[in-house]
Amino acid sequence: MSIIKANKASFPSLLNDILSTDWYGGYETGFGKQPLVNILESAESYQLELLVPGRKKEHFNIEVDEGQLIVSAEENTLKNEGVKYTRKEFGSAAFKRVFVLPESVNQDDIKASYEDGVLRFVLPVKEEALPKPKRTISLT
């Protein structure tokens, strides 16, 4: 088996340099690698999805503080004593993401789940912020 070194000028590498994105589950900032996020909105709730594969539920620290949802995890390294990597392309770097919650979100009923490498949040909208059903007003 021969070992071939990666070409630094490869197409994904050039795009990473230009767009500051990571092809394997995050994007690079001045603060390190951040997980990719999807935010979905409906009349009843917001849904937030973070792509964070290779973790366990206990690796996450999730807080709501002063109108912000704070999601973080420490670096998760596998300790292999006496093992020398010939090539190592993946790991679980520490991250911290802060999301400002809209005033319409009911902060007391936020739910979170982690399955198949995706951390999901359901952020329900307060009842008073839900759209009111159409009604007819009769004349007197």
Side-chain angles (χ1 to χ4, degrees), residues 46-140:
Y46 295 93
Q47 293 183 34
L48 185 67
E49 301 173 332
L50 281 82
L51 184 62
V52 284
R55 304 229 183 222
K56 295 183 179 178
K57 292 178 183 180
E58 54 269 12
H59 292 161
F60 298 105
N61 183 27
I62 302 167
E63 300 172 336
V64 175
D65 185 31
E66 296 183 13
Q68 297 179 333
L69 176 65
I70 304 162
V71 183
S72 63
E74 295 302 318
E75 184 173 0
N76 180 28
T77 57
L78 298 173
K79 305 224 182 208
N80 294 324
E81 300 294 325
V83 174
K84 179 182 175 189
Y85 286 95
T86 302
R87 184 175 186 139
K88 188 170 190 312
E89 292 187 350
F90 67 89
S92 297
F95 72 88
K96 181 176 182 179
R97 295 289 308 255
V98 178
F99 302 93
V100 176
L101 299 173
E103 290 183 21
S104 61
V105 168
N106 184 347
Q107 296 181 22
D108 295 330
D109 289 334
I110 295 174
K111 306 237 182 312
S113 63
Y114 181 65
E115 185 177 346
D116 298 330
V118 179
L119 181 59
R120 288 185 174 85
F121 294 90
V122 176
L123 311 165
V125 173
K126 294 177 185 173
E127 193 168 322
E128 59 268 14
L130 291 172
K132 305 291 186 232
K134 181 179 173 181
R135 65 183 182 104
T136 305
I137 299 174
S138 59
L139 295 172
T140 58

Side-chain angles (χ1 to χ4, degrees), residues 1-5 86-87:
M1 173 189 269
S2 65
I3 299 172
I4 301 171
K5 293 190 177 195
T86 302
R87 184 175 186 139

